[in-house]
Amino acid sequence: MKKRLFIQTFGCQMNVHDSEQMAALMGQHGYETVADAADADLILVNTCSIREKAAQKIMSQLGRYRSIKRSRPETIIGVGGCLAQHLGEDLVTRNPHVDLVFGTHNLHRLPEMVIRIEQSGEKVIETSLAPVVPSLGIRVAPRENAISAFVTIMQGCNNYCAYCVVPFLRGPETSRPGEDILNEIKMLVDGGIREVTLLGQNVNSYGHTLSPRTSFPELLRGVGRIDGLERIRFTTSHPKDLSDDLVRCFGEIRSLCEHIHLPAQSGSDRILRAMNRGYTSEEYRNRVKCLREQCPEIAVTSDMIVGFPGETNEDFQRTLDLMETIRFDNLFSFKYSERKGTAAVHFPDPVPETEKAERLETLQARQEGHTLEKNRDLEGRLVEVLVEGRSKNSPDDMSGRTRTNRIVNFTASADTVRKTVPVRIERAFLHSLRGKIEHLGGVC
Ligand code: 5AD
Ligand code: SF4
């Protein structure tokens, strides 16, 4: 009989993909995924520790699994990902019901560690960071009927932004060989995948550690030549490494979607310097200008941190100025969260939390206006939608995404799923668009 696995994932797309890899690995060892933790023989919590709030949420969730362990002591509870890497043995001291702690470089050994616990009943804690990251090569077969898939192209980060724990928890930057990546994508396309998202902490520096050295644009061109692959996306880009060659790719590669996620973090040069970001707000503006000259349709989204230590009201105004000139299609904004081990811990921070919270509210309200405005610009326009399935909110409708990554709902038959259809946008909302399908089979 198959054993049952429940995975709970916190954090970024990278973590979502790591969880898919965990499910694939355990699947090869007789585990099937179930939807309820209470039914599981193995519960895995894949964690994030980028901000304190995320870490707290995970700790309280772990507490809830204590009652499952009490009623079914044979259930194995494992914790992986960034928080596991960060806390190591401490996690078990604070949560004695946890059997397994595995760090960001130990995912490939998951089955072996679970078997060890099944056989010995001992706890396993494995958080060593390796110079090569074997989990980079783990392949995940596409889920049944899946349209899109994640593909990891690199792991880790060498940038040491002053606020960020990632380089400490995911280790130094390691790129996966291009051939390996292309073969995986071909396998995914053969399995029915139409869209891939290439994942890495800073995809723009992909290939610099490989021998022979290669580059992200070169990889993209290779992916662009794969027959049957409709759409390519990637995340995340660092503005300081966004080359002219990458900008050119947006004009060259038909399957490369017109969207870039380009975290700015701040609009103040003083704060950008303190953050160790390696660019000025002017350089950031210039990069976006080049992208828009090459590809006028491109959607630009970003991350912004408010309340970085010592951020004055003037600095914050510079961030709002940047938003006004760029007019991001969407923005993910965060209140600065102090993380142990990072450089910013030592920076003086006289700004009260209440003021930081107010700044975040101001910024988010401003962005909502911009997002809505950008969405409304599409009213009356014809867009290409890759249909994913039925709409969540209105099951009679179909739902898909534009190449710029906007959700579009429209009335159509279920046989449009997996197809690219032209949709005329009729109404724009903050989080989605509503449209009318124009005719089937064509691509606008
Ligand atoms: N505090 C707040 N936001 C953070 N981010 C990373 N570290 C922190 C932190 N300590 C944000 C950055 C990054 C995104 C993934 O998370 O904006 O781009
Ligand atoms: Fe963190 Fe900066 Fe690396 Fe991004 S580039 S993962 S923010 S250190």
Side-chain angles (χ1 to χ4, degrees):
M1 195 179 113
K2 284 217 171 215
K3 291 191 180 166
R4 291 152 302 180
L5 163 68
F6 174 80
I7 307 185
Q8 185 172 25
T9 310
F10 293 88
C12 58
Q13 289 172 316
M14 205 94 165
N15 266 18
V16 172
H17 187 47
D18 285 351
S19 292
E20 290 172 351
Q21 293 185 324
M22 291 177 199
L25 283 175
M26 295 316 297
Q28 290 161 11
H29 285 79
Y31 277 84
E32 66 179 356
T33 306
V34 294
D36 190 347
D39 298 331
D41 302 291
L42 172 63
I43 297 173
L44 295 176
V45 185
N46 190 7
T47 61
C48 167
S49 129
I50 199 134
R51 284 170 293 275
E52 184 59 26
K53 231 171 155 179
Q56 279 166 358
K57 209 163 133 197
I58 293 161
M59 291 310 258
S60 90
Q61 180 58 50
L62 274 181
R64 277 185 227 133
Y65 290 138
R66 195 173 291 128
S67 60
I68 296 186
K69 186 76 173 174
R70 217 175 282 137
S71 56
R72 296 180 56 214
E74 66 283 8
T75 310
I76 295 175
I77 301 182
V79 186
C82 287
L83 189 64
Q85 185 68 45
H86 177 53
L87 293 178
E89 196 162 350
D90 245 22
L91 236 163
V92 178
T93 316
R94 285 154 72 175
N95 298 276
H97 57 294
V98 168
D99 303 283
L100 165 67
V101 178
F102 58 106
T104 52
H105 285 195
N106 308 100
L107 195 155
H108 62 293
R109 293 182 45 215
L110 182 61
E112 167 202 325
M113 294 187 281
V114 170
I115 291 167
R116 219 159 91 207
I117 297 168
E118 284 171 343
Q119 289 175 348
S120 69
E122 283 171 14
K123 292 190 188 295
V124 173
I125 296 154
E126 189 48 86
T127 56
S128 55
L129 286 176
V132 283
V133 190
S135 59
L136 269 180
I138 299 173
R139 291 189 184 178
V140 180
R143 280 166 288 120
E144 213 176 298
N145 296 325
I147 292 163
S148 59
F150 293 125
V151 176
T152 307
I153 64 163
M154 63 188 308
Q155 254 267 33
C157 181
N158 293 344
N159 287 316
Y160 292 94
C161 299
Y163 50 82
C164 184
V165 280
V166 167
F168 304 98
L169 302 181
R170 293 226 171 223
E173 190 181 295
T174 320
S175 294
R176 189 175 163 199
E179 210 181 292
D180 210 17
I181 297 169
L182 295 178
N183 284 338
E184 176 172 358
I185 298 176
K186 282 177 198 151
M187 173 203 83
L188 289 167
V189 171
D190 288 346
I193 290 295
R194 314 277 322 269
E195 169 186 279
V196 290
T197 303
L198 309 178
L199 293 178
Q201 248 80 40
N202 175 16
V203 294
N204 295 357
S205 63
Y206 168 81
H208 295 181
T209 54
L210 285 174
S211 165
R213 191 181 151 107
T214 174
S215 71
F216 185 52
E218 260 176 69
L219 176 73
L220 271 182
R221 291 188 178 100
V223 180
R225 284 191 288 270
I226 295 177
D227 278 341
L229 181 63
E230 184 95 15
R231 290 180 172 188
I232 308 170
R233 301 185 185 281
F234 60 83
T235 194
T236 286
S237 284
H238 196 307
K240 79 174 165 56
D241 298 317
L242 201 165
S243 64
D244 291 340
D245 200 21
L246 179 56
V247 173
R248 279 193 291 276
C249 287
F250 282 99
E252 270 175 31
I253 305 171
R254 147 79 197 142
S255 47
L256 183 60
C257 288
E258 294 81 11
H259 172 217
I260 189 161
H261 185 64
L262 195 63
Q265 312 298 4
S266 170
S268 153
D269 290 344
R270 203 180 68 82
I271 294 296
L272 286 170
R273 214 174 310 117
M275 285 176 163
N276 188 31
R277 287 293 287 175
Y279 53 86
T280 62
S281 65
E282 193 51 32
E283 283 163 344
Y284 185 91
R285 283 180 172 87
N286 269 333
R287 291 287 74 195
V288 174
K289 188 165 163 266
C290 290
L291 283 161
R292 285 181 171 155
E293 275 166 11
Q294 177 65 252
C295 179
E297 300 290 304
I298 198 164
V300 181
T301 58
S302 194
D303 292 343
M304 213 65 92
I305 297 177
V306 298
F308 184 77
E311 182 193 69
T312 61
N313 211 12
E314 165 89 37
D315 294 316
F316 177 60
Q317 290 306 318
R318 298 285 82 82
T319 295
L320 295 179
D321 291 346
L322 182 71
M323 289 168 62
E324 284 301 323
T325 46
I326 301 278
R327 293 190 111 72
F328 293 108
D329 291 76
N330 210 343
L331 187 70
F332 300 89
S333 46
F334 313 97
K335 189 149 72 78
Y336 168 73
S337 166
E338 185 174 288
R339 307 311 288 137
K340 217 170 115 194
T342 60
V345 165
H346 307 290
F347 299 173
D349 191 11
V351 186
E353 283 302 306
T354 47
E355 199 164 326
K356 294 184 183 189
E358 271 173 34
R359 286 181 193 166
L360 186 64
E361 251 180 58
T362 306
L363 183 149
Q364 288 177 339
R366 185 77 64 97
Q367 182 57 41
E368 278 194 9
H370 291 177
T371 306
L372 197 53
E373 180 187 287
K374 287 268 178 181
N375 286 351
R376 283 195 179 137
D377 282 348
L378 291 171
E379 284 179 350
R381 302 262 312 270
L382 198 58
V383 295
E384 180 194 289
V385 175
L386 176 57
V387 187
E388 293 174 3
R390 290 201 180 277
S391 157
K392 278 193 199 104
N393 298 332
S394 144
D396 291 339
D397 289 334
M398 302 308 287
S399 184
R401 278 174 198 269
T402 64
R403 287 171 61 96
T404 54
N405 213 24
R406 290 178 168 89
I407 295 172
V408 184
N409 297 310
F410 55 99
T411 307
S413 63
D415 64 10
T416 52
V417 176
R418 312 179 64 79
K419 290 187 181 136
T420 324
V421 297
V423 176
R424 179 80 58 189
I425 301 305
E426 291 178 326
R427 272 205 77 184
F429 306 97
L430 189 57
H431 301 295
S432 67
L433 304 166
R434 168 123 213 123
K436 194 164 181 232
I437 192 163
E438 285 261 310
H439 56 82
L440 272 178
V443 174
C444 53

